[in-house]
Amino acid sequence: MEKKRTIVEAIKVVLSNDRQGLTYQEVYKKIVEQDLYKFGAQDPKSVVRAKLRSHCAGFDFPTASPKKYFCISERIGTINYY
């Protein structure tokens, strides 16, 4: 039986395959297209955004994860590319 992938693992797969940088919406779309994770949340895009922020270098807030896997490669206006 195959081990279930976490959201963070799915994000890692997507971002490792795309070196140009993606928005959280694009990351979500690729997770769904590649069937990397089954979302149960009402607003799964927000879940992806929260996981990216929580595990992103430079985002330090009380509930942020101490493990940082991602970084912002570019920021255009208020849009972050991870």
Side-chain angles (χ1 to χ4, degrees):
M1 187 169 159
E2 187 178 324
K3 177 185 166 262
K4 284 193 162 188
R5 184 179 277 128
T6 67
I7 296 171
V8 171
E9 290 168 341
I11 294 169
K12 286 180 184 179
V13 169
V14 168
L15 291 177
S16 70
N17 292 327
D18 194 309
R19 299 288 182 193
Q20 303 234 353
L22 299 169
T23 66
Y24 75 91
Q25 296 100 326
E26 293 167 330
V27 171
Y28 167 74
K29 183 179 177 191
K30 287 183 182 272
I31 289 171
V32 172
E33 287 173 352
Q34 296 172 30
D35 197 27
L36 297 173
Y37 185 84
K38 298 286 185 209
F39 291 94
Q42 284 187 327
D43 188 2
K45 288 180 188 176
S46 291
V47 173
V48 170
R49 181 178 180 266
K51 291 294 184 183
L52 279 164
R53 287 176 48 83
S54 180
H55 293 280
C56 188
F59 280 94
D60 295 313
F61 48 93
T63 58
S65 174
K67 294 182 181 178
K68 305 299 184 185
Y69 303 113
F70 315 116
C71 66
I72 294 175
S73 62
E74 185 176 11
R75 175 177 260 186
I76 300 175
T78 59
I79 300 172
N80 294 327
Y81 291 84
Y82 298 90

